[in-house]
């Protein structure tokens, strides 16, 4: 492998979404030579698709907001399974990260008195999402990219080379992490266009690869989201947590079939849109769970008054956390009250003027007009749940984003813990910025502690990784060959049907059996035709390894957790169980198979416990855990 293209860096960041770019900016700002690798075009990541906004308790629209309220909302949304330290750092640092974006050039929508405007979203007590119409992610990525360019210009001025401190490798897919013993030493990847391999050496690697949605048939995720970072971490020996928690966003498009799953932003509901069954009935009032009864309106009149007088009325139930709304829609359809295409109606046309809709939701108007020939200023949208986000990911140290593998860091959607069992809308964009920055700083700290020492990448490790990536070209016996497209379709069906929004033990056992069979067949995956030059069949064959590993984690952990909480709903175990609140399920690879183990959740610090009433905590915690708040401080 001596002739393989090779590069040396201090830090490699895999992923150029919000988390990856913020980590790279931080690493470069610490004077480290940094590479950013991304599977698709630079600028094309899920972050760019984010519509609603960035959650940060700036208190611009309601001065009652502060980090403690944001922390409380996040913990409630995650049903207290969140890593409390991550939720604390996130709530305290999100406003600084938003203001910092302004210094990079972001142009947020403004309030009448000129401050950054903030909008309502499900599960957030106050208007909290800083936004740019319904194109917030685009502005976030635009400004982070602009910052990258300005750093590159500074490097050019100093070194005569734009890429001296920060280089972007676009349309470049990483297939494996390279290790020296148990330490990270680099990555192996390939240029998607030519299929040529590249070895990158670096003592620190930050995973920022986003989600896993492409393992499910109906999803808001695009083609890149095949759980690569999750699988790379597993294969390198790291532990994933919370993998049973997959978020089904309540509102994806359901018609026409070619666009099924594409997201309909929660801002539609945040700005006044309501959900109705086929007969036009506003059904969410039937689905307010006991734990949220005190905070949500129980009549349409009160719910409607809340938009103009939030201090004296309770919130509309359409703004319950996503897991609750998704289950409600699922049930309406199951009970036969759904629309002709198997969804429910989302009605903003009868609630806002056409002008307001065009101003607040321009992308949604465009999306429905172009894709479904529906004019949302006068017609209702048809919507239903779609696989959207994975709460589970690499277990990290909250302060440094370090995983248990020395030199391996993770931030953004690929990291686990922050959102517990269910993420609140808007909390992802803030998560990316807060923990992206921390991961870059964590990598810098790690390098400083290493001193001059550098792990080595052995030739044998590179040869193994190359051979493994080329395996789909080696299956020559036509009778045994498996086609990556059909196997992918089967995997998606299994996950959607048997490990989807409502789960039960028998179905998940069946899913695991079917996944095991797909795994056996995947050993005979063959590239249907062509060579390594831009060959989508080969790309998918490589992605499938990752999707399979991640799907096995989701199904195995979901089978083990015998309760319902957040994004994990068991028909056979319908209630929450305090024993499980204190338990994290970890997934690791042992001899190539996924092993699930139970780990205690770190107990929450007393001052944070005291931000909640003992009555509220009593709904989630055991009496023993509550002793600390039952005594006066
Ligand atoms: P991403 O932005 O997903 O980027 C991942 C990067 O990793 C990409 O560059 C990809 O190419 C790269 N990558 C992946 N695998 C490899 C590999 N093997 N090799 C090299 N590169 C690789 N959240 C909010 O907070 N507010 C919202 O309003 C909102 N709206 C959303 C709307 C939609 C339609 C979707 C899909 C999500 C939305 N979310 C929202 C969620 C949020 O956008 C994502 O969770 C978040 O952007 C993930 O960011 P990230 O930086 O972790 O990864």
């Amino acid at each position: 492998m001596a002739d393989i293209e090779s590069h040396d860096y201090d830090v490699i960041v895999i992923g150029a979404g919000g988390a990856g770019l913020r980590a790279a900016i931080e690493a470069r700002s610490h004077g480290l030579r940094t590479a950013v690798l991304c599977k698709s075009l630079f600028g094309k990541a899920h972050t760019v698709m984010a519509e609603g906004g960035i959650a940060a308790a700036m208190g611009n629209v309601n001065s009652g907001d502060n980090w403690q309220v944001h922390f409380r909302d996040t913990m409630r949304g995650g049903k207290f399974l969140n890593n409390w330290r991550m939720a604390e750092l996130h709530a305290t640092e999100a406003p600084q990260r938003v203001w910092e974006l302004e210094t990079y050039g972001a142009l947020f929508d403004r309030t009448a008195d000129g401050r950054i405007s903030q909008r309502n979203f499900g599960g957030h007590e106050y208007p909290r999402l800083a936004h740019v119409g319904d194109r917030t992610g685009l502005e976030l990525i635009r400004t982070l990219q602009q910052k990258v360019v300005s750093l590159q210009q500074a490097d050019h001025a100093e070194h005569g080379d734009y890429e001296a401190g920060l280089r972007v490798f676009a349309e470049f897919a990483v297939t494996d992490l390279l290790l020296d013993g148990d330490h990270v030493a680099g990555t192996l990847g390939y240029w998607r266009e030519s299929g040529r391999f590249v070895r990158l050496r670096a003592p620190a690697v930050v995973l920022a690869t986003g989600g896993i949605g492409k393992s499910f048939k109906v999803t808001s995720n695009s083609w890149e989201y095949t759980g690569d970072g999750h699988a790379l971490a597993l294969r390198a020996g790291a532990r994933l947590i919370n993998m049973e928690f997959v978020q089904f966003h309540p509102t994806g498009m359901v018609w026409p079939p070619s666009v099924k799953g594409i997201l309909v932003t929660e801002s539609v509901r945040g700005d006044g849109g309501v959900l109705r069954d086929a007969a036009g009935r506003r059904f969410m009032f039937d689905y307010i769970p006991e734990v949220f009864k005190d905070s949500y309106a129980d009549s349409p009149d009160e719910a409607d008054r809340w938009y103009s007088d939030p201090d004296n009325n309770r919130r509309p139930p359409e703004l319950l956390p996503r897991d609750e709304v998704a289950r409600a829609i699922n049930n309406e359809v199951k009970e036969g009250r759904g629309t002709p295409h198997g969804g429910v109606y989302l009605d903003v046309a009868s609630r806002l003027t056409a002008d307001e809709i065009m101003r607040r939701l321009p992308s949604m108007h465009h999306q429905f007009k172009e894709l479904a020939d529906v004019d949302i200023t006068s017609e209702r949208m048809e919507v239903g749940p779609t696989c959207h986000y994975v709460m589970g990911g690499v277990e990290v140290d909250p302060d440094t984003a370090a995983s248990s593998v020395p030199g391996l860091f993770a931030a953004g959607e690929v990291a686990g813990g922050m959102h517990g069992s269910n993420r609140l809308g808007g909390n992802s964009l803030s998560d990316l910025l807060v923990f992206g920055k921390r991961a870059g700083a964590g990598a810098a700290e790690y390098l400083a502690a290493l001193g001059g020492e550098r792990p080595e990448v052995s030739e044998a490790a590179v040869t193994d990784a190359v051979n493994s990536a080329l395996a789909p070209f080696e299956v020559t016996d036509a009778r045994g060959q498996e086609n990556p497209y059909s196997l992918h379709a089967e995997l998606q069906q299994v996950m959607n049907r048997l490990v989807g929004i409502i789960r039960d033990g028998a179905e998940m056992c069946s899913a695991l059996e079917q996944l095991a069979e797909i795994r056996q067949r995947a050993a005979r995956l063959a590239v249907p035709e062509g060579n390594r030059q831009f060959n989508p069949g080969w790309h998918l064959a490589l992605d499938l390894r990752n999707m399979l590993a991640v799907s096995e984690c989701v199904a195995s952990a979901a089978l083990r957790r015998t309760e319902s909480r957040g994004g994990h709903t068991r028909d056979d175990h319908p209630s929450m169980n305090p024993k499980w609140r204190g338990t994290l399920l970890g997934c690791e690879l042992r001899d190539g198979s996924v092993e699930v183990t139970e780990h205690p959740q770190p107990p929450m610090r007393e001052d944070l416990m005291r931000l909640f009433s003992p009555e509220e905590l009593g709904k989630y915690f055991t009496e023993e855990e509550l002793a600390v708040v039952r005594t006066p401080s």
Side-chain angles (χ1 to χ4, degrees), residues 137-421:
L138 178 63
E139 184 68 354
L140 193 150
I141 284 289
R142 184 188 71 75
T143 46
L144 291 174
Q145 282 187 317
Q146 187 171 312
K147 180 71 180 171
V148 166
V149 170
S150 76
L151 289 170
Q152 289 179 321
Q153 285 175 343
D155 285 337
H156 183 255
E158 193 177 339
H159 307 288
D161 176 4
Y162 287 105
E163 294 178 333
L166 188 50
R167 176 172 172 191
V168 177
F169 292 70
E171 297 193 85
F172 180 93
V174 173
T175 58
D176 270 306
L177 296 175
L178 301 169
L179 300 177
D180 178 359
D182 62 350
H183 284 57
V184 159
T187 62
L188 182 87
Y190 66 97
W191 295 108
R192 288 171 61 83
E193 195 177 328
S194 64
R196 293 178 70 87
F197 290 106
V198 181
R199 158 182 43 199
L200 290 129
R201 284 179 287 243
V205 173
V206 179
L207 296 172
T209 47
I212 67 162
K214 273 295 167 193
S215 297
F216 290 80
K217 182 165 167 47
V218 180
T219 178
S220 65
N221 287 198
S222 62
W223 65 267
E224 305 96 309
Y225 297 98
T226 50
D228 296 4
H230 290 77
L232 290 170
L234 272 179
R235 292 202 292 271
R239 180 191 289 160
L240 307 185
I241 54 166
N242 292 350
M243 289 305 289
E244 63 275 38
F245 299 108
V246 175
Q247 180 169 84
F248 290 82
H249 193 291
T251 59
M253 293 177 80
V254 295
W255 188 259
S258 57
V259 300
K260 192 166 177 166
I262 291 184
L263 195 76
V264 179
T265 175
E266 193 166 325
S267 324
V268 178
R269 283 172 287 134
D271 287 353
V274 294
L275 292 164
R276 300 185 192 280
D277 66 13
R281 186 169 164 273
R282 205 172 151 182
F283 58 82
M284 276 308 300
F285 295 95
D286 303 342
Y287 292 95
I288 306 174
E290 204 47 50
V291 287
F292 290 122
K293 278 241 149 51
D294 297 341
S295 324
Y296 286 83
D298 54 16
S299 71
D301 285 348
E302 183 185 359
D304 286 347
R305 285 197 304 270
W306 175 84
Y307 287 100
S308 51
D309 183 9
D311 293 337
N312 295 305
N313 295 286
R314 291 171 299 173
R315 308 163 60 73
E318 282 86 1
L319 293 181
L320 276 159
R322 289 176 174 171
D323 53 327
E324 310 290 355
V325 184
R327 273 192 297 272
I329 294 176
N330 196 64
N331 197 52
E332 286 295 298
V333 175
K334 203 165 120 197
E335 301 270 313
R337 293 187 288 274
T339 61
H341 300 119
V344 296
Y345 289 118
L346 174 58
D347 167 24
V348 74
S350 75
R351 315 263 308 164
L352 298 179
T353 65
D355 279 354
E356 276 176 309
I357 293 171
M358 292 304 290
R359 185 168 51 80
R360 295 193 204 190
L361 303 164
S363 301
M364 280 302 107
H365 181 264
H366 180 79
Q367 178 175 314
F368 271 88
K369 196 74 200 125
E370 289 296 310
L371 301 179
D373 197 24
V374 167
D375 178 356
I376 69 166
T377 62
S378 56
E379 295 171 84
R380 297 173 298 187
M381 304 165 226
E382 263 185 275
V383 294
T386 178
C387 173
H388 184 56
Y389 183 89
V390 62
M391 272 68 74
V394 182
E395 187 174 43
V396 289
D397 174 77
D399 290 78
T400 62
S403 76
S404 57
V405 174
L408 184 63
F409 299 77
E413 192 168 341
V414 70
M418 160 66 210
H419 305 285
S421 67

Side-chain angles (χ1 to χ4, degrees), residues 520-584:
Q520 279 187 354
R521 288 165 56 201
R524 299 191 305 275
L525 268 177
V527 181
E529 55 194 26
N531 54 28
R532 274 157 56 188
Q533 283 176 349
F534 199 87
N535 188 330
W538 179 43
H539 301 166
L540 182 60
L542 295 176
D543 293 345
L544 254 173
R545 290 198 298 185
N546 301 332
M547 284 188 270
L548 251 173
V550 165
S551 300
E552 283 169 345
C553 290
V554 173
S556 311
L559 181 62
R560 179 75 75 89
R561 185 171 283 272
T562 47
E563 66 156 358
S564 291
R565 182 182 298 271
H568 170 64
T569 305
R570 297 265 316 231
D571 238 0
D572 48 352
H573 296 279
S575 39
M576 264 191 293
N577 177 341
K579 175 231 156 191
W580 277 114
R581 198 218 58 79
T583 307
L584 292 177

Side-chain angles (χ1 to χ4, degrees), residues 14-20 37-40 44-47 49-53 121 172-174 208-211 220-221 224-225 228 263 388-389 411-414 423 425-429 432:
I14 312 177
L37 324 177
C38 55
K39 211 166 158 177
S40 45
K44 157 77 184 72
H46 261 167
T47 304
M49 294 159 74
E51 294 154 354
F121 239 55
F172 180 93
V174 173
T209 47
S220 65
N221 287 198
E224 305 96 309
Y225 297 98
D228 296 4
L263 195 76
H388 184 56
Y389 183 89
E413 192 168 341
V414 70
R423 172 178 73 88
N427 268 2
S428 173
L429 293 189
L432 311 180

Side-chain angles (χ1 to χ4, degrees), residues 87-110:
E88 180 192 23
L89 291 169
H90 168 257
T92 50
E93 293 177 7
Q96 297 157 37
R97 296 287 74 78
V98 172
W99 288 315
E100 178 181 73
L101 270 191
E102 278 207 310
T103 70
Y104 295 175
L107 296 168
F108 289 100
D109 289 353
R110 318 305 292 190

